[in-house]
């Protein structure tokens, strides 16, 4: 076992950025209030002291503009990391990500590359209401040319972010705001985590719960509750939703024969739908029940705490659905 | 706070050969586009074609002031920019016909020609969509301490896009070596821009502190001289600039736009074609200055015609990409 220490997810992200910026002078970060302020979540605190204001670049409140500049800079020799304060604001960058970044390589017949990372946040339950709480990662999964990363632990966040920065494609990296203070072991030594490799966060034999981002913690909590009912849940984190490690997901589904998919994005047409379909196609004859999905409710995220809590998957809702699935009911 | 450009600084007399080179380039674009029109109307070219005929002086005058290593981004009406920046006729045609030998292996087509060898970051079919990319290239040039400049070509219609103003603001804040070149051909598709643009065009640049200038886009000598001064200043670190070129497209918005009288009159078109044709304007001047005679022009015309014909033949004969290439180049 390599030597580790406990870091928060926020610290892990910061460490990944600092290491990559030391390693490669072409890497820079741009976004709103990221330098002295260190972002509204204080994730980047201190980076400006080491790397200066040119490499930790405060921008105007122009998400489309600085994302577009990052696309052009990436094409011409830099490796930008764009910071989008709240994931809800990715809507402002959509043309630059979808019609520009994602397509430049293909449209140019493979000649231009766009090695950039967009870091954005996701996640509800901060009582931030409809425009500061969404998880819009599925939008990017829908577009060929982009890669989409959803870390669930400090260890994964660091290793995946380093891989994202070294990748020659546009990568969108989503951090759950509620997980920034989540602690976990992170090796002292340098490491990276390849894309497209799911991680079995908990082995089990009765049901597979595929979960992403903070829903992994929710699923692990539900798995503990299920234990009391003698239900052994396997929790799998795809870690990157595109590329998707279909093999591991299907393999686990075949083993347990029951599958739930949990993701904090809107359930309709969301990540859960795609993963459920991959599993249904790949493991159909080994399944004892339809694949069950739980995502965010099809409503704008409300402000009032009891309302908001009803919209996203919780330990309890995942536990109950899993238990029903295992006892034959749906 | 616009940076003043030193008018007293005169460039050494530009050789007749350079004007003739620009004449030739403009003519090459003209004949290329006529050929595209022909291919398209004979149903040999798939997709859409937005012709640059009438606007040649803008691309040629600006690109003449650039180095091969300088960057450009282009538009849906982009053939002229790509050729002016140095693209080869044969690979251009091949791309327009969707052939493997094309600049983008047939994956881009008319509206997406890109070529790193000539600094062409790509034509863009999102109106105003390349403003970020061009500004980002200037950002890299600044950071990597190369002395490249970046030119963003766009139409007057792109003045309706917010992205442009976001990046102009940042380019000015960070003194980026980028030149925003607006080709004001008066129309956004089928609407005169008096219906789409409020206020002053140049002020859109000067409001952000960009050096802003207007030029007659039908006079390649004026475009070149102005672009040359601006490029030199921008290259030296004076910060971004905004150049509005007054021009006119002689043909339809795209090849299929034949009956145009519901949005502009035949008389208006005729006036521009007879009095403001950039190739004729330069030709007349060269003749008046005794810098070229009939025989010289005839020779240039014959050479360009034959080059274009050869390029078309190459493209027509070139193979299509095999369908199994469809999944390549999605990811680097
Ligand atoms: C964002 C966007 N909206 C609409 C269109 C459809 N469209 C293509 S060209 C064009 C007009 C562009 O006018 P202008 O920028 O003046 O360029 P011109 O065609 O005159 O060269 C429009 C509306 C588009 N391609 N992109
Ligand atoms: Mg126009």
């Amino acid at each position: 076992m390599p030597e580790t220490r406990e870091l928060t997810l926020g610290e892990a992200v910061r460490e990944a950025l600092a290491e990559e910026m030391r390693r490669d002078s072409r890497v820079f970060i741009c976004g709103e209030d990221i330098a002295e302020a260190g972002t509204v979540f204080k994730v980047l605190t201190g980076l400006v002291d080491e790397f200066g204001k040119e490499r930790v670049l405060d921008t105007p409140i122009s998400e489309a503009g600085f994302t577009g500049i990052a696309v052009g800079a990436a094409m011409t020799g830099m490796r930008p990391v764009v910071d989008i304060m709240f994931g809800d604001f990715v809507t402002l960058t959509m043309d630059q990500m979808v019609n520009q970044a994602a397509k430049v390589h293909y449209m140019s017949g493979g000649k231009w590359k766009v090695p950039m990372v967009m870091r954005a946040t996701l996640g509800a339950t901060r009582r931030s209401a409809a425009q500061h709480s969404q998880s819009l990662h599925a939008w990017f999964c829908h577009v060929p040319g982009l890669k989409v990363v959803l870390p669930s632990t400090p260890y994964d966040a660091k290793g995946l972010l380093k891989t994202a920065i070294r990748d020659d494609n546009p990568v969108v990296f989503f951090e759950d705001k509620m997980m920034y203070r989540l602690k976990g072991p992170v090796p002292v030594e340098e490491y990276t985590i390849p894309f497209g490799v799911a991680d079995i966060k908990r082995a089990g034999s009765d049901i597979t719960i595929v979960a992403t981002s903070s829903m992994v913690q929710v699923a692990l909590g539900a798995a503990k509750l299920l234990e009391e009912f003698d239900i052994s849940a396997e929790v799998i984190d795809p870690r990157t939703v595109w590329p998707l490690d279909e093999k591991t997901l299907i393999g686990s589904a075949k083993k347990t024969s029951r599958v739930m998919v949990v993701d904090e994005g809107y359930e309709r047409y969301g990540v859960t739908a795609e993963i459920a379909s991959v599993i249904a196609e790949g493991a159909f004859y080994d399944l004892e029940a339809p694949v069950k999905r739980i995502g965010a409710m099809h409503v704008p995220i409300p402000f009032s705490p009891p309302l908001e809590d009803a919209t996203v998957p919780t330990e309890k809702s995942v536990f109950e659905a899993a238990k029903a699935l295992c006892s034959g009911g749906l | 706070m616009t940076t003043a450009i030193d008018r007293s600084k005169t460039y050494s007399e530009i050789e007749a050969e350079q004007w003739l080179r620009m004449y030739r380039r403009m003519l090459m674009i003209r004949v290329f586009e006529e050929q595209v029109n022909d291919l398209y109307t004979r149903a040999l070219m798939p997709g859409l074609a937005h012709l640059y005929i009438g606007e040649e002086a803008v691309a040629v005058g600006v690109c003449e002031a650039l180095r091969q290593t300088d960057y450009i981004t282009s538009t849906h009406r982009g053939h002229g920019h790509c050729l002016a920046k140095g693209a080869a006729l044969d690979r251009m045609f091949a791309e327009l016909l969707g052939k493997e030998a094309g600049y983008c292996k047939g994956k881009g087509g008319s509206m997406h020609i890109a070529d790193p060898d000539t600094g062409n970051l790509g034509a863009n079919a999102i109106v105003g969509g390349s403003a970020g990319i061009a500004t980002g290239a200037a950002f890299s040039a600044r950071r990597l301490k190369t002395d490249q400049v970046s030119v963003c070509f766009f139409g007057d219609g792109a003045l309706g896009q917010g992205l442009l103003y976001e990046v102009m603001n940042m380019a000015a804040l960070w003194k980026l070596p980028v030149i925003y070149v607006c080709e004001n051909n008066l129309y956004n598709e089928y609407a005169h821009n008096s219906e789409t643009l409020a206020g002053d065009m140049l002020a859109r640049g000067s409001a952000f502190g960009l050096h802003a200038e207007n030029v007659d886009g039908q006079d390649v000598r004026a475009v070149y001289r102005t672009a040359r001064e601006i490029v030199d200043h921008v290259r030296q670190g004076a910060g971004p600039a905004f150049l509005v070129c007054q021009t006119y497209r002689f043909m339809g918005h795209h090849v299929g736009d034949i009956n145009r009288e519901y949005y502009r009159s035949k008389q208006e078109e005729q006036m521009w074609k007879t009095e403001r044709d950039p190739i004729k304007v330069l030709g007349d001047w060269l003749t008046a200055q005794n810098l070229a005679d009939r025989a010289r022009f005839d020779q240039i015309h014959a050479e360009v015609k034959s080059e274009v014909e050869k390029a078309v033949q190459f493209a027509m004969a070139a193979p299509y990409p095999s369908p199994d290439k469809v999944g390549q180049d999605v990811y680097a």
Side-chain angles (χ1 to χ4, degrees), chain B residues 36-115:
Chain B
V36 171
N37 194 31
D38 182 60
L39 288 169
Y40 193 88
T41 39
R42 286 194 291 144
L44 292 171
M45 183 188 152
L48 278 175
H50 304 85
L51 303 181
Y52 198 61
I53 292 176
E55 308 187 25
E56 295 91 341
V58 176
V60 170
V62 170
C63 289
E64 182 72 20
L66 298 177
R67 300 175 184 163
Q68 180 155 354
T69 47
D70 288 333
Y71 294 114
I72 63 159
T73 63
S74 168
T75 68
H76 59 286
R77 197 176 304 290
H79 307 159
H81 310 130
C82 302
L83 288 167
K85 195 66 178 48
L89 291 164
D90 51 0
R91 298 186 62 203
M92 285 284 296
F93 275 123
E95 187 60 35
L96 265 56
L97 295 183
K99 303 299 183 71
E100 174 80 32
Y103 271 107
C104 313
K105 303 187 209 160
K107 285 174 172 153
S110 163
M111 297 195 286
H112 302 296
I113 310 272
D115 178 29

Side-chain angles (χ1 to χ4, degrees), chain B residues 76-77 125-127 155-158 161 185 187-189 249 253:
Chain B
H76 59 286
R77 197 176 304 290
I126 302 297
V127 170
D156 47 312
Q161 291 286 5
N185 62 8
Y187 293 89
N188 314 163
E189 272 182 357
R249 70 168 151 75
H253 168 61

Side-chain angles (χ1 to χ4, degrees), chain B residues 128-301:
Chain B
S130 78
I133 292 175
T135 310
F139 183 93
S140 288
R142 189 88 207 277
R143 283 303 166 82
L144 299 170
K145 298 192 168 54
T146 70
D147 63 353
Q148 290 156 293
V149 304
S150 177
V151 168
C152 181
F153 286 106
F154 54 89
D156 47 312
L159 295 174
Q161 291 286 5
L163 175 74
L164 184 67
Y165 305 109
E166 294 191 7
V167 298
M168 275 183 173
N169 181 51
M170 283 181 273
L173 274 175
W174 303 332
K175 284 205 162 225
L176 303 182
V178 55
I179 302 159
Y180 302 97
V181 177
C182 176
E183 305 183 307
N184 178 21
N185 62 8
L186 304 177
Y187 293 89
N188 314 163
E189 272 182 357
Y190 318 113
H192 192 276
N193 66 27
S194 58
E195 295 172 36
T196 58
L197 280 174
D200 184 68
M201 223 182 258
L202 272 189
R204 285 161 159 80
S206 44
F208 294 106
L210 272 67
H211 172 80
E213 209 163 332
N214 230 316
V215 71
D216 175 359
Q218 303 310 90
D219 178 355
V220 75
R221 294 187 306 124
V223 176
Y224 171 70
R225 284 221 163 95
T226 310
R228 180 72 201 269
E229 288 183 6
I230 290 177
V231 168
D232 286 353
H233 276 79
V234 167
R235 203 185 296 287
Q236 283 157 17
F242 180 42
L243 176 63
V244 179
C245 302
Q246 306 298 343
T247 186
Y248 197 79
R249 70 168 151 75
F250 288 4
M251 313 285 282
H253 168 61
H254 63 91
V255 174
D257 173 25
I258 308 286
N259 300 317
R260 302 185 282 273
E261 275 160 285
Y262 69 93
Y263 71 91
R264 64 187 206 185
S265 70
K266 282 213 162 108
Q267 294 92 300
E268 178 184 297
E269 292 190 358
Q270 208 48 42
M271 189 282 286
W272 282 90
K273 284 180 190 170
T274 51
E275 292 169 34
R276 310 293 302 129
D277 183 328
I279 298 177
K280 188 165 175 296
V281 168
L282 179 61
D284 288 350
W285 181 82
L286 285 165
T287 308
Q289 301 293 309
N290 278 326
L291 293 172
D293 57 14
R294 186 77 264 153
R296 188 70 198 272
F297 287 124
D298 287 348
Q299 187 201 348
I300 295 174
H301 280 248

Side-chain angles (χ1 to χ4, degrees), chain A residues 20-21 26 45 60-61 94 113 116 132 179 238 245 281 321:
Chain A
E20 291 307 297
M21 288 173 83
R26 299 168 302 173
T45 304
I61 304 162
M94 274 324 218
K113 290 180 191 157
M116 69 178 279
H132 286 72
M179 287 200 309
D245 182 356
E281 279 181 31

